[in-house]
Amino acid sequence: MSKKATTASNKTATSYTPLSIAPAQVLRGENCLANSGKAISKLGVRPLVVGGNQTITVIKPFLEPALTTEKLVSQFASYSPECAESSLVKLKDAAQKHQADLIIGVGGGKALDSAKLLAHQCELPIVTIPTSGATCAAWTALSNVYSEAGAFQYDVTLSRCPDLLILDYGLVRTAPQRTLVAGIGDAIAKWYEASVSSGNSTSTLLISAVQQARILRDILFQKSAIAIKNLNSDEWREVVDATVLLAGVIGGIGGADCRTVAAHAVHNGLTYILEAHNILHGEKVAYGILVQLRLEEMVQGNQLAASARQQLLQFYDEIGLPKTLEDLGLENISLAQLRHAAAIATKTQSDIHRLPFSISPEQLAAAMVSTVVKTAKIAPSNK
Ligand SMILES: [Zn+2]
């Protein structure tokens, strides 16, 4: 485009960013990992497999036969304790020593984020193998970086989505039930956050991402309770597809304008509380949605938010998502800790400021302790 044309183009035309919508290939099925060797071997012959210590032990008997059949020379490396800068340095070293030409990430969100970031930094192909339905990290072109102590630091936009995603339902079924419940919490947040962060946008891709987030929410409302009661049901597979795949599609299509808002900001704040470290990402985010709706209700007097919160409280009861700080096991944190979390979540660059009104740490702390409060007058709504 000529310089003149660039100047003449409108604001949106100059803000185009490359699209990273989906992995190049997705294999899925019952025990499909055992037959994935061929697809993996197309991407490299010396894979470095990145996961947590426990996951590596569990996955070796599944993955190794698939790799050796194709004569791939693999090495396993742990990202523990965190997807942190220091772990990345060690992993880069391991990749160089092994002369890796391919990275395979196995595990939950942090393991996959570490593997994706490593592949991005080393400019190598990346395969993701989620071992639970807890996040959509296997799909997305994004990694979250934490401190060694587990406090959220920043996220990194990666050059593309994974080259291959292997969703083995048999493997995911072995994960603790709590992980899928957390994944439901993280996935359902897409609607509550994207519908706010998209504002009044008329962008084709953004509108469609927000509508898919609504569909994702409805699928989860309908099928989650049945899914977690019966791991062999069609509903269970549909819900896993929703949390691992569809949630990723929404982030991919919506891109940078389909971002997180207060629910994830609250999550980020909570990661600074030591006692919160055993709480799963999606559990913190699920609680964060209630806080976000409570803020909309308290600051704007938004009745739709009030009834949406009541609807979610019922849903959380059904499937066991946390509704309060007590449910998160944080009943004994001090006021100073609560204030600190609220201060982190309301820092200038926080996504919480995508809310259409300004928020003080005090307002946020007040919302954080009143997520289950009954609202006097609730207008009927299907928000
Ligand atoms: Zn999330």
Side-chain angles (χ1 to χ4, degrees):
M1 191 188 273
S2 74
K3 197 166 178 202
K4 200 175 162 200
T6 312
T7 323
S9 63
N10 63 28
K11 215 170 77 209
T12 36
T14 55
S15 63
Y16 283 147
T17 45
L19 296 171
S20 299
I21 293 178
Q25 195 186 3
V26 178
L27 293 181
R28 58 182 183 139
E30 288 293 335
N31 309 316
C32 66
L33 187 54
N35 303 314
S36 62
K38 213 161 215 80
I40 295 174
S41 69
K42 288 189 179 139
L43 298 166
V45 293
R46 296 185 64 83
L48 182 77
V49 184
V50 175
N53 292 326
Q54 270 188 332
T55 311
I56 289 176
T57 319
V58 173
I59 201 151
K60 253 188 182 176
F62 292 93
L63 185 59
E64 250 177 354
L67 300 179
T68 43
T69 320
E70 295 299 320
K71 301 190 174 57
L72 306 186
V73 185
S74 61
Q75 176 82 49
F76 288 74
S78 169
Y79 78 96
S80 299
E82 272 297 337
C83 179
E85 285 174 0
S86 55
S87 303
L88 260 297
V89 172
K90 278 189 255 170
L91 287 172
K92 250 196 259 180
D93 192 43
Q96 263 161 14
K97 280 200 179 111
H98 180 57
Q99 295 181 308
D101 58 1
L102 165 66
I103 306 297
I104 301 177
V106 290
K110 287 183 177 179
L112 299 177
D113 277 6
S114 306
K116 289 188 297 182
L117 189 51
L118 173 67
H120 172 78
Q121 290 177 347
C122 300
E123 298 183 3
L124 292 175
I126 169 77
V127 178
T128 50
I129 306 171
T131 54
S132 78
T135 74
C136 59
W139 185 284
T140 58
L142 196 76
S143 286
N144 285 341
V145 178
Y146 295 82
S147 74
E148 274 186 47
F152 174 80
Q153 305 278 285
Y154 54 89
D155 56 36
V156 182
T157 302
L158 310 173
S159 54
R160 62 182 191 280
C161 291
D163 300 280
L164 172 63
L165 187 170
I166 303 168
L167 175 54
D168 185 325
Y169 296 110
L171 181 65
V172 172
R173 203 174 280 114
T174 64
Q177 170 107 311
R178 181 184 169 196
T179 54
L180 183 60
V181 173
I184 294 166
D186 196 27
I188 209 163
K190 298 270 179 206
W191 163 250
Y192 300 93
E193 296 192 298
S195 58
V196 169
S197 71
S198 58
N200 297 321
S201 172
T202 52
S203 147
T204 299
L205 293 181
L206 192 52
I207 294 169
S208 64
V210 174
Q211 289 313 310
Q212 288 191 54
R214 186 176 50 77
I215 292 163
L216 173 61
R217 177 203 64 177
D218 291 345
I219 290 171
L220 293 173
F221 276 164
Q222 286 164 16
K223 299 184 176 173
S224 294
I226 308 167
I228 58 173
K229 271 193 203 94
N230 183 357
L231 272 58
N232 290 309
S233 60
D234 288 342
E235 283 83 359
W236 180 85
R237 252 184 313 278
E238 301 304 342
V239 168
V240 170
D241 280 359
T243 62
V244 178
L245 308 180
L246 181 54
V249 174
I250 293 161
I253 295 179
D257 292 324
C258 193
R259 293 296 292 264
T260 63
V261 187
H264 274 79
V266 168
H267 160 276
N268 295 344
L270 290 176
T271 65
Y272 284 75
I273 298 177
L274 201 65
E275 289 87 335
H277 283 180
N278 291 325
I279 307 166
L280 300 177
H281 172 87
E283 293 172 333
K284 294 193 205 83
V285 171
Y287 161 76
I289 304 171
L290 299 175
V291 177
Q292 178 177 319
L293 291 169
R294 185 77 187 115
L295 281 172
E296 293 177 76
E297 199 180 323
M298 285 165 52
V299 181
Q300 285 185 306
N302 185 336
Q303 286 297 302
L304 288 178
S307 55
R309 183 169 59 84
Q310 297 301 333
Q311 183 183 31
L312 278 182
L313 287 172
Q314 243 179 20
F315 178 61
Y316 287 13
D317 266 338
E318 252 184 296
I319 65 165
L321 275 170
K323 298 175 293 183
T324 59
L325 287 169
E326 287 80 2
D327 290 348
L328 290 166
L330 300 177
E331 62 274 17
N332 293 324
I333 60 164
S334 66
L335 188 57
Q337 283 176 299
L338 178 67
R339 281 211 172 113
H340 183 52
I344 296 280
T346 49
K347 281 200 301 198
T348 321
Q349 67 275 32
S350 168
D351 280 352
I352 203 168
H353 301 300
R354 288 167 172 266
L355 283 169
F357 46 85
S358 59
I359 279 295
S360 69
E362 291 73 25
Q363 283 171 313
L364 178 58
M368 286 172 76
V369 296
S370 61
T371 46
V372 290
V373 79
K374 290 263 181 294
T375 310
K377 237 175 78 188
I378 298 163
S381 140
N382 63 355
K383 186 184 170 180

